[in-house]
Amino acid sequence: FFIFDYWMMLGAEKYFGLTTIIENEENLLSHANAINPNCQTQTTKKALIFAFEPHDILPYAVFAFSPALKRLPGKIGRDGCCLITSAVFGVPFLRQVYRWVKTYPVDRGTFLGKLRRGESFAFVPGGVQEVIHLESANSNVCNDETSNEKTSKNTNDDADETNANSRQKNNEKHLTLYLLKRKGFVKHALATGSPIVPVFAFHLDGSYGYYIPRSKIVHRISRAVGVVPLVFWGRFGIPFGIPYPKRIVVVIGEAIDVESEGSGDDDDDDGGVSEERVDRVHKLFLRELEALFERHKVEAGYGGRKLRIV
């Protein structure tokens, strides 16, 4: 299915006018080329955890990590894949599509297995809980865009128009990230000595119009099944369709060096990692992610916006 993967990723790259900014490529390569001391062979190199935000309705911009696009250097780019909620793989058609484009369940076994094999990947630590925290006003972001939709061969022009419409409406809003309690990936990073790389995607918000029923029951269901009950619509107003054309900008920060506290025992998921160390690295990640956003927000058209981490 490589040809299908290649065709789909190149189409997405053009449709969204994808821009990828790597702040320090040498930094990423130096971490990826380091030997993982926890591996018995002593030849397996470290995996990098690309912690991607925000989730929004669908975090489709993780396609930037596809090896078909060759956006990342060396082995990092060749390993490129994404881990997403396991619930998607229960839907027959979606399961096949996501597997074709190198997407895997974000369960503990897959997560740790890739780290121990030295295979880098992207995932969204905020997860589907960020959908619950979306500002209700965002559901109207694309109303003007729907009325102005035109079929055009120049998708980059569509992306410019869509971003111009949404930028003014969104400029003063906060972007909410559900990260304060998301520490499991930090524990796994410490257990395996895997660096964490903060990643932020601009213009992912506003890709869909949506309706989310607001209640405690919905919140509990979403936590239990890994999917938020909602209705969303994209281009041409098609329910569950393709997103509005957006000029996506993915910025990749420097790797946060994480010293291994693990035992190297494959049966020990936590690796004897201390909670104090987890808290320290987690706070560092939050600071670095916010700093990454601040460094690039003006150029991306988010000058009046702030991150709200809950």
Side-chain angles (χ1 to χ4, degrees), residues 139-155:
S139 61
N140 295 320
V141 163
C142 298
N143 285 350
D144 289 348
E145 297 161 8
T146 304
S147 62
N148 292 327
E149 281 292 350
K150 297 179 181 178
T151 304
S152 171
K153 293 182 180 179
N154 191 338
T155 57

Side-chain angles (χ1 to χ4, degrees), residues 176-192:
T176 302
L177 309 182
Y178 185 76
L179 292 172
L180 288 183
K181 296 181 180 180
R182 298 299 202 189
K183 300 180 181 181
F185 75 100
V186 176
K187 182 173 288 189
H188 293 334
L190 284 164
T192 57

Side-chain angles (χ1 to χ4, degrees), residues 205-227:
D205 54 315
S207 296
Y208 288 103
Y210 60 87
Y211 169 73
I212 305 172
R214 307 283 176 174
S215 70
K216 291 183 179 180
I217 294 177
V218 171
H219 182 72
R220 290 173 183 173
I221 291 174
S222 65
R223 288 184 63 87
V225 303
V227 176

